[in-house]
Amino acid sequence: MGMIKKIINWSRLKSPWILHFNTGACNACDIEIIAALTPRYDLERFGVILKGTPRHADVLVCSGPVTRQIEDRLIRIYEQMAEPKFVVAVGTCACTGGVFGGCYNVKGGINSAIPVSAYIPGCPASPKAIIDGVVKLLKSLEESETKAAPAK
Amino acid sequence: MLASLIYILIFPGFAFLGVFGLFAEFFDRKLYARLQNRVGPPWFQPFADFIKLLGKEEIVPCDANPAMFTLVPVIALSTVVAAFLYIPLWNTTSLLSFNGDIIVILYLLTIPTLAFFIGGWYSSSLFARIGSVRAVTQLFAYEVPLFIGILSAALLANTWSLSEIMTFYNKSPVLALFNILGFGVSLIALLGKLEKVPFDIPEAETEIVAGAFTEYSGKFLALLRLTLDVEMVAGAALLAAVFLPFGLGANPVIGFIFFIAKVLFVIALITLLRTVFARLRIDQMISFCWKRMVPVAILQLLICLILKGVIQR
């Protein structure tokens, strides 16, 4: 059983498929996320593929503060994803609400609506920072799994 | 009994085809990346994707028909694996062979498309329904040139059995050169069957998210992706058997290496085409198939008929 779990874990770390969702960003972070997916950075080296549907994706990459309009949709998309799933907040607004925090139409950061696994600050976060953030998320998963393994 | 089980499960069956299909997907993706000046995925990428999808939760939408939704990936995969049993590997005899097996292979390779249609239709998602209707619409366009292209080669060999076709062309390889038009037509039609880029209209990810696969997740998606990979290998092996009948009858090891090389050559041509072209619209695709490819296929048929008359005299 342990061996099978290890193999599944390894495969999860090696093929994170992402879904990009704009929760009300000014588009700067979206452009940087798209830039990170271009041939110049070539994220397919790490098995990252951009998917169009939440059913296929493992990592939800959100940009921008959660507006009151988008909140229901964000939760719905999160619920449509298959387990195990992770959320990455890209940009200062996605982390805390940024300059829009406390606005009448803004609820706050992504974590005010759904649980977030990794935060990538920056206004906008550069492609290198985004890749670094995703790598750190995967590394933390690997460590938590290896730590959890002896306990079971 | 034991031998049949080994045939079905291990050697030309699920295990070999699964591994070879996933390797073919890696070859396709790596070559695609290299042609785009990228580094591309590592060799274990398709295996990691497959295992990850097997380990994920599978969701059946509440509007979907659960029986059809879950049965479709299994039916699609088993038909393509069954089709492969009729294709000869290193010599001219296949595992199962009778007069007319080439028709059976072509029909077995059609069933996955219909399965994708049914699965997409019963998943009750708008994107999946649009994708599945497009898949069937384009089926009517590429199937005719594919059939004419492959069957005209069979016509020249004067048999409907794939083994006898290979024996015929192996005896007189010069005649295989006359089938080059049919090879081109069948290769382009195969792109439509595999839903690769110029004809990836059914799963156009920038328009209709993932087409018929939109609602599939977890191991159903893993099986559907494996189906497309195995279909790519089976289609390439069929084209290699009919149009590239070289290097047969040698000892099994060399013959097997030749077989792998031929299949990878056909896949490399498919990858090259999908790198060079951009996606067509559905109406452009259908008019291209009926107005350009069918006339070329009929020309191939005429060449074969005339050649046959000349040979018999």
Side-chain angles (χ1 to χ4, degrees), chain B residues 152 155-156 175 177-182 296-311:
Chain B
S152 60
L155 195 73
L156 185 58
L175 289 177
L177 295 177
F178 288 95
N179 289 331
I180 196 128
L181 278 179
V296 175
I298 289 175
L299 183 66
Q300 169 67 50
L301 194 64
L302 279 178
I303 291 172
C304 283
L305 282 175
I306 294 167
L307 200 63
K308 204 173 164 189
V310 171
I311 292 169

Side-chain angles (χ1 to χ4, degrees), chain A residues 53 56, chain B residues 112-117 120-121 125-142 189-215 228 231 279-283 285-286:
Chain A
T53 156
H56 298 191
Chain B
T113 311
L114 297 174
F116 297 159
F117 166 72
W121 187 265
S125 153
L126 199 61
F127 295 121
R129 284 203 168 159
I130 294 172
S132 55
V133 169
R134 283 183 184 187
V136 172
T137 312
Q138 95 171 14
L139 176 79
F140 290 110
Y142 65 72
L190 194 65
L191 282 171
K193 197 182 257 306
L194 300 169
E195 302 183 356
K196 292 280 181 196
V197 154
F199 304 144
D200 72 332
I201 307 150
E203 52 173 296
E205 56 179 17
T206 43
E207 302 167 30
I208 48 169
V209 295
F213 300 167
T214 303
E215 293 295 329
L228 280 177
E231 199 181 359
R279 186 189 311 133
L280 298 174
R281 268 199 329 264
I282 185 84
D283 59 319
M285 188 268 177
I286 286 175

Side-chain angles (χ1 to χ4, degrees), chain A residues 130-150:
Chain A
I130 295 169
I131 295 168
D132 188 44
V134 173
V135 168
K136 274 184 181 153
L137 168 71
L138 295 177
K139 228 174 232 167
S140 74
L141 291 177
E142 198 177 4
E143 277 162 16
S144 69
E145 287 298 332
T146 46
K147 262 181 210 164

Side-chain angles (χ1 to χ4, degrees), chain A residues 4 7-8 10-12 14-17 38-40 42-59 79-85, chain B residues 29 32-33 36-42 44-45 47-61 205 209-210 213-218 221 225:
Chain A
I4 293 172
I7 292 173
I8 290 176
W10 165 83
S11 69
R12 268 175 201 155
K14 292 298 173 194
S15 100
W17 290 355
T38 50
R40 182 172 177 79
D42 188 24
L43 280 187
E44 208 185 355
R45 283 179 299 164
F46 309 116
V48 175
I49 307 179
L50 182 67
K51 286 284 170 183
T53 156
R55 301 272 193 227
H56 298 191
D58 308 297
V59 180
E79 283 171 351
Q80 279 178 348
M81 286 168 70
E83 291 282 354
K85 54 193 170 187
Chain B
R29 278 168 68 174
Y32 188 57
Q36 288 179 338
N37 235 343
R38 292 189 285 133
V39 175
F44 52 76
Q45 193 56 53
F47 297 89
D49 289 348
F50 183 70
I51 296 167
K52 180 204 73 177
L53 285 173
L54 283 184
K56 263 179 92 89
E57 176 196 10
E58 57 270 1
I59 300 169
V60 180
E205 56 179 17
V209 295
F213 300 167
T214 303
E215 293 295 329
Y216 279 97
S217 58
L221 182 63
R225 284 172 62 88

Side-chain angles (χ1 to χ4, degrees), chain B residues 7 11-12 82-102 105 160-167 237-238 241 248 259:
Chain B
Y7 289 149
F11 178 52
F84 200 81
L85 294 179
Y86 291 96
I87 299 173
L89 298 184
W90 57 79
N91 47 17
T92 53
T93 51
S94 58
L95 204 59
L96 302 170
S97 171
F98 59 92
N99 199 5
D101 56 3
I102 193 162
I105 296 169
W160 293 121
S161 150
L162 193 51
S163 309
E164 286 173 33
I165 293 170
M166 289 180 80
T167 321
L238 177 65
L248 299 164
F259 165 75

